[in-house]
Amino acid sequence: MQTQLAKGVQLTTIQSHQFKTNQISINFRAPINRADITKRALLSNLLETSAADYPDQRALAHALADMYGAAFGAGVSRKGPTHNLRLAITVPNERYLATDEPLTSQAIDFLSKIIFKPLVHDGHFDEPTFKRQALNLKASIESVADDKQYYAAQQLNEALFAADVAQQLPSYGLAADIDALTASDLYTYYQRLLTEDQVDIIVMGDLDEAAIVKQWQAVGFQDRLVDRPAAFYQHQNTGNFVEKTEVQELSQAKLNLGYDFPVFYRDQHYYAALVFNELFGGSPLSKLFMNVREKASLAYYASSSLDTFRGVLKVSAGIDGQNHDQVLQIIAAQLTAIQQGDFTDELVDQLKLGLINDFESSLDSQRTFAVQALIDDLTQQAVSDDEWLQQIQAVTRDQIQAVAKLVTLNNGFFLTGGQHASK
């Protein structure tokens, strides 16, 4: 059930008897902006660890313990041109406990306090808490950046999205931005977020929906005066392959390739693209895995992934640097083979079965339903589980070949140790 609490503020309740917990998440969505992306990541850290009523992590942990060990967390993510700041709490369903405590109502009250009563003094976030979380975020970002595959993937992003800096950045921002942030500036931005961001509240479980709607209505969200964020970003196809090479001290080279792939979530080619990706490099039965890694022994790993909110396909491989040219050629040969129909119907059936098994396994997670509800609102379209399964089963080999022909290699980033790299 969907209820509009205000313009741009939507409550979705999902009634399910499948789980013995109830999950409540609140999502703040806005267009990705280069100047704001690190602020939003730092906000998620602050909101996860403190509020006026819970000034430190001990007080917050005590409040969660009082709700029979509720789990609370915050984080950031992205879909295409949209950035999402999410807070979520999962509580035991009181119907399965020997208690009269209204735990779901308490959890909604807890989230409301976190959001609308942050730990603030004189118009700025609490200074010691702000500094501590800024240091934590900076250390977290820097530790991820030490991962060579991550570094190579980020360099590929910079090349793929050269025309839009905001699309180059990870959802949690940049360590270099943190030192310039102040507790006052961040609180000013937070006030803007509360009034401008699109808000999606998703409550799932064995619910009293009327009571939940009434409680969220009382929170008092105001109308948003800005437009809904766009669902998709259109990658610009250059039509030319350009590769950048960088030498560092490492023993395993990283080859990352970026392709223009104008297929978007649930468009006419979407389901064929899912099967194609499994065939190309998205599964252990894929051509990249079987031919590049297993038969030719040219890669420690080789896989592909789709981004159907930005219209790109990516391949990543860990290789011996001296095999670069050979790997590039054999990867291209796998794509050509699919375009020419060099695969069996039996393999396609196995790949479809793998997709279906993964899909059905995901239905055992409450988070799956919350994420799907958010995507449905972002894209303004919904597909039932049965329809999804039917669409996958209906994909033909001709459709797989056709969608493979939409792939155009644009960018590459090759991180290698060179001849003098330490082993």
Side-chain angles (χ1 to χ4, degrees):
M1 183 176 77
Q2 293 185 334
T3 305
Q4 209 70 22
L5 301 177
K7 182 181 178 182
V9 182
Q10 179 171 278
L11 168 64
T12 300
T13 53
I14 305 171
Q15 188 71 251
S16 172
H17 306 295
Q18 181 179 349
F19 305 99
K20 293 186 177 181
T21 57
N22 290 344
Q23 185 182 90
I24 305 137
S25 66
I26 180 164
N27 302 271
F28 295 90
R29 297 190 287 113
I32 290 177
N33 184 302
R34 168 66 183 85
D36 298 334
I37 196 166
T38 307
K39 295 176 187 175
R40 296 172 69 87
L42 182 51
L43 278 172
S44 76
N45 277 25
L46 283 168
L47 297 174
E48 186 177 37
T49 55
S50 65
D53 288 3
Y54 319 109
D56 54 42
Q57 289 180 284
R58 178 178 294 180
L60 194 141
H62 183 72
L64 295 173
D66 284 346
M67 289 184 279
Y68 286 77
F72 169 66
V76 290
S77 61
R78 69 182 304 154
K79 287 290 184 188
T82 302
H83 193 270
N84 186 53
L85 193 165
R86 177 179 186 267
L87 296 95
I89 184 168
T90 301
V91 293
N93 189 317
E94 54 266 35
R95 298 180 185 183
Y96 299 99
L97 297 174
T99 178
D100 293 327
E101 291 290 323
L103 297 180
T104 302
S105 176
Q106 290 176 11
I108 293 172
D109 183 59
F110 173 86
L111 274 185
S112 298
K113 289 176 180 177
I114 293 287
I115 294 163
F116 292 106
K117 294 175 62 180
L119 187 57
V120 172
H121 304 294
D122 301 322
H124 59 79
F125 283 109
D126 177 68
E127 198 70 41
T129 304
F130 171 85
K131 289 180 178 178
R132 181 167 59 252
Q133 294 307 321
L135 284 173
N136 288 346
L137 178 61
K138 188 173 184 178
S140 176
I141 293 174
E142 288 175 343
S143 68
V144 173
D146 288 337
D147 182 280
K148 298 303 182 182
Q149 176 52 42
Y150 165 85
Y151 175 81
Q154 281 303 114
Q155 294 300 307
L156 177 66
N157 263 357
E158 289 188 17
L160 265 178
F161 302 106
D164 190 335
V165 175
Q167 290 298 319
Q168 300 173 13
L169 303 182
S171 61
Y172 43 81
L174 297 174
D177 291 352
I178 294 174
D179 291 340
L181 297 178
T182 68
S184 178
D185 289 344
L186 189 64
Y187 184 63
T188 298
Y189 174 74
Y190 184 55
Q191 296 302 107
R192 199 175 92 216
L193 176 151
L194 289 176
T195 58
E196 294 183 0
D197 274 27
Q198 297 285 307
V199 179
D200 276 279
I201 304 164
I202 300 163
V203 186
M204 182 192 175
D206 191 356
L207 310 170
D208 180 344
E209 291 182 287
I212 287 168
V213 170
K214 184 177 180 180
Q215 188 172 358
W216 277 113
Q217 286 173 331
V219 170
F221 280 103
Q222 302 299 308
D223 289 345
R224 314 285 105 169
L225 301 180
V226 295
D227 295 333
R228 293 174 55 86
F232 303 107
Y233 178 87
Q234 177 73 58
H235 173 259
Q236 299 302 307
N237 186 4
T238 63
N240 297 308
F241 176 55
V242 177
E243 183 180 81
K244 178 182 177 182
T245 298
E246 184 174 322
V247 177
Q248 290 188 14
E249 292 289 325
L250 75 166
S251 57
Q252 184 187 111
K254 314 295 180 183
L255 177 62
N256 285 50
L257 303 175
Y259 303 76
D260 183 76
F261 191 43
V263 175
F264 294 88
Y265 187 74
R266 288 181 178 160
D267 72 5
Q268 61 178 330
H269 301 296
Y270 175 67
Y271 297 96
L274 293 182
V275 182
F276 156 75
N277 183 59
E278 293 293 289
L279 177 58
F280 184 44
S283 76
L285 298 175
S286 69
K287 286 186 172 290
L288 290 185
F289 187 91
M290 297 301 295
N291 296 323
V292 181
R293 183 184 183 276
E294 295 295 301
K295 290 183 181 179
S297 298
L298 288 173
Y300 303 102
Y301 61 86
S303 63
S304 65
S305 61
L306 295 178
D307 185 340
T308 57
F309 285 84
R310 296 195 283 184
V312 296
L313 168 74
K314 297 177 182 177
V315 167
S316 60
I319 65 174
D320 287 331
Q322 62 186 5
N323 294 330
H324 168 272
D325 292 350
Q326 191 177 357
V327 171
L328 203 58
Q329 289 170 4
I330 198 170
I331 290 174
Q334 306 318 301
L335 178 58
T336 300
I338 298 173
Q339 292 169 341
Q340 295 176 348
D342 182 13
F343 52 89
T344 67
D345 292 336
E346 290 76 17
L347 176 56
V348 171
D349 289 341
Q350 286 181 279
L351 296 171
K352 288 180 180 179
L353 182 60
L355 283 168
I356 290 169
N357 287 340
D358 289 345
F359 178 79
E360 291 178 338
S361 295
S362 74
L363 300 180
D364 292 333
S365 166
Q366 264 184 315
R367 180 172 169 79
T368 295
F369 292 89
V371 169
Q372 191 59 59
L374 185 64
I375 293 174
D376 289 349
D377 184 66
L378 176 63
T379 60
Q380 291 293 282
Q381 53 179 310
V383 172
S384 69
D385 294 347
D386 286 343
E387 185 176 350
W388 189 95
L389 294 170
Q390 290 168 9
Q391 292 279 9
I392 289 294
Q393 291 285 24
V395 171
T396 66
R397 62 181 300 110
D398 288 344
Q399 290 174 328
I400 296 170
Q401 286 179 249
V403 83
K405 292 174 182 176
L406 298 175
V407 177
T408 306
L409 181 58
N410 276 194
N411 296 95
F413 181 77
F414 181 48
L415 182 63
T416 181
Q419 294 182 346
H420 305 292
S422 60
K423 299 291 182 182

